């Protein structure tokens, strides 16, 4: 087996790989996809000097990557890089500085167990190009440690460390997909302005976030998912005001000539109970801004959200456990709507005829509150 180049152990219930495996010095691909019980890799894995592809997707119990992994400079595929949660194991596990040595990484990368602590910041400052020079990565997922998510009492000094830790994780400007989960900062890194090629963006369970970085100018952003941002009050921290002529001006980082979310097609707003509106201080009608390309909108668990920009080209709308007040300024012009789902909307007795009557292309209507549909003449489906 010394000449073996490809080894597929995907779906195997193994917890630990045998130490003899590091003698396979011609091995180029090790596939461990869906090894859900796998806890650790061989500590001498750095002896696999010809390793090109280490497939660790769906290895959810992997506890750390062994120290010395950064010596495998030919590695191109590494789905998951796990930092040790146990500080007593830090001497035996690889840190972010070793990840920085893997210059040829490409495709997808998930980093788990990031810590908002001074020791991690110091390590990142030592090598602040951990991700920035990885121009072949198109997808990046950053997971912070769960325990930090549970502690919402973050003092000002810790807040400074948190933002510094995120600043040092700047990816290459060519990145197309970005997911952040359990991030505990109130604000986001400045490098969000330097991701012009982002297509898919997901922010999940970032509990201290009150507003998002400017996103409306990103030219290729097609999908925006916001999940469980419990302290999010406004999407944008900027004001929406009127000028002296009564015209609406957007006080944001985007150029005045930039179209509002020019490419956004899919928008999920889920379980952000404190979300009030799109702009921090909205003194003008929301009808002044609209999504030119939005085709799918899902609003779930947002009882305090009462205003949204227009979405004139919407194909599908899901409204669940939210307020009907979010729709009046946007709903009626959505003549192209084909699918509509309404569930758990308690502040309406029926859907007004002027809304549904205009939806001549409607193909599917689903309602979780029977009194909205049964025995009324408020729906005219063509």
């Amino acid at each position: 087996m010394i000449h073996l180049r490809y080894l597929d152990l995907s779906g195997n219930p193994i917890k630990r790989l045998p130490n003899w495996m590091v003698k396979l010095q011609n091995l180029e691909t090790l596939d461990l996809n869906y090894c859900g019980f796998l806890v650790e890799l061989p500590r001498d894995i750095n002896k696999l000097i010809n390793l090109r592809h280490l497939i660790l997707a769906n290895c959810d119990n992997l506890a750390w990557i062994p120290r010395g992994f950064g010596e495998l400079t030919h590695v191109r595929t590494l789905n998951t890089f796990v930092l040790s949660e146990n500080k007593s194991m830090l001497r035996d596990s690889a840190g972010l500085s070793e990840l920085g040595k893997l210059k040829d990484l490409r495709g997808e990368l998930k980093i788990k167990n990031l810590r908002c602590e001074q020791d991690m910041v110091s390590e990142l400052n030592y090598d602040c190009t951990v991700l920035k020079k990885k121009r072949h990565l198109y997808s990046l997922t950053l997971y912070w440690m769960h325990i930090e998510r549970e502690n919402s009492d973050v003092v000002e000094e810790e807040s400074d460390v948190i933002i510094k830790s995120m600043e040092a994780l700047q990816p290459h400007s060519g990145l197309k997909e970005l997911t952040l989960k359990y991030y505990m900062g109130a604000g986001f890194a400045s490098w969000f302005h330097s991701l012009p090629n982002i297509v898919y963006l997901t922010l999940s369970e970032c509990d201290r976030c009150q507003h998002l970085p400017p996103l409306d100018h990103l030219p290729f952003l097609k999908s925006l998912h916001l999940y469980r941002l419990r302290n999010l009050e406004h999407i944008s921290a900027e004001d929406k005001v009127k000028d002296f002529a009564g015209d609406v001006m957007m006080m944001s980082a985007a150029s005045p000539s930039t179209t509002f979310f020019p490419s956004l097609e899919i928008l999920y707003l889920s379980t952000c109970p404190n979300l009030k509106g799109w702009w921090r201080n909205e003194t003008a009608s929301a009808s002044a801004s609209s999504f030119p390309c939005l085709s799918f909108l899902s609003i779930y668990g947002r009882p305090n959200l009462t205003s949204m920009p227009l979405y004139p080209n919407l194909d599908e709308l899901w409204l669940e456990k939210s307020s009907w007040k979010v729709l009046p300024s946007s709903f009626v012009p959505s003549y192209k709507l084909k699918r509509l789902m309404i569930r758990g909307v308690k502040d309406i007795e029926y859907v007004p005829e002027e809304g549904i009557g205009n939806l001549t292309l409607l193909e599917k209507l689903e309602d979780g509150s029977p009194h909205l549909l049964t025995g009324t003449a408020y729906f005219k489906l063509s």
Side-chain angles (χ1 to χ4, degrees), residues 331-332 350-359 377-380:
F331 180 55
V332 176
Y350 59 86
V351 179
E353 182 179 4
E354 62 270 21
I356 291 295
N358 290 323
L359 303 180
Y378 292 99
F379 292 88
K380 299 176 181 179

Side-chain angles (χ1 to χ4, degrees), residues 149-378:
R149 171 172 68 97
E150 298 168 357
N151 180 15
S152 59
D153 299 326
V154 181
V155 299
E156 185 174 351
E157 292 180 1
E158 290 176 324
S159 298
D160 184 58
V161 171
I162 289 172
I163 194 66
K164 284 182 179 179
S165 69
M166 190 180 189
E167 288 284 358
L169 291 168
Q170 179 175 355
H172 188 270
S173 60
L175 195 72
K176 296 185 182 300
E177 301 179 10
L178 177 63
T179 297
L180 305 182
K181 191 168 185 178
Y182 305 133
Y183 174 65
M184 286 301 296
F188 291 86
S190 60
W191 48 254
F192 267 87
H193 302 291
S194 305
L195 298 177
N197 294 296
I198 280 291
V199 178
Y200 304 97
L201 177 61
T202 298
L203 303 178
S204 177
E205 300 189 63
C206 303
D207 283 353
R208 296 188 67 242
C209 166
Q210 295 183 346
H211 58 78
L212 305 184
L215 302 173
D216 56 329
H217 65 290
L218 295 175
F220 303 114
L221 183 63
K222 289 187 177 181
S223 177
L224 177 60
H225 292 218
L226 305 179
Y227 292 126
R228 296 185 180 180
L229 306 184
R230 295 175 179 85
N231 284 313
L232 183 68
E233 296 183 357
H234 305 93
I235 304 296
S236 174
E238 309 299 337
D239 291 349
K240 181 180 183 184
V241 298
K242 289 183 178 180
D243 62 14
F244 292 109
D247 296 326
V248 173
M249 300 186 303
M250 295 306 304
M251 306 301 292
S252 71
S255 166
S257 61
T258 302
T259 304
F260 181 74
F261 285 94
S263 300
L264 193 67
E265 298 176 359
I266 298 172
L267 176 58
Y268 280 90
L269 303 174
S270 178
T271 318
C272 300
N274 292 309
L275 184 61
K276 301 174 182 177
W278 202 267
W279 293 278
R280 180 181 60 185
N281 184 17
E282 187 176 337
T283 59
S285 172
S287 62
S289 296
S290 63
F291 300 101
C293 298
L294 194 68
S295 61
F296 177 88
L297 173 62
S298 174
I299 303 176
Y300 175 86
R302 282 173 169 74
N304 297 318
L305 180 62
T306 58
S307 64
M308 281 279 292
L310 289 174
Y311 31 86
N313 297 307
L314 203 67
D315 286 333
E316 187 165 355
L317 171 63
W318 296 1
L319 184 65
E320 186 170 1
K321 295 183 179 180
S322 299
S323 172
W324 182 257
K325 295 178 182 179
V326 74
L327 296 181
S329 64
S330 304
F331 180 55
V332 176
S334 300
Y335 302 125
K336 299 181 180 180
L337 199 67
K338 295 180 181 179
R339 291 169 290 278
L340 173 62
M341 188 274 284
I342 304 172
R343 290 179 179 172
V345 179
K346 297 181 179 180
D347 60 352
I348 186 173
E349 296 181 0
Y350 59 86
V351 179
E353 182 179 4
E354 62 270 21
I356 291 295
N358 290 323
L359 303 180
T360 57
L361 299 179
L362 196 65
E363 299 173 353
K364 182 177 181 180
L365 178 62
E366 182 178 347
D367 170 51
S369 305
H371 68 280
L372 295 185
L373 298 177
T374 306
T376 72
Y378 292 99

Side-chain angles (χ1 to χ4, degrees), residues 113-128:
N113 298 335
L114 287 163
R115 305 183 309 280
C116 296
E117 299 175 358
Q118 186 59 50
D119 58 345
M120 195 188 84
V121 173
S122 299
E123 181 181 11
L124 288 170
N125 287 338
Y126 176 76
D127 183 4
C128 61

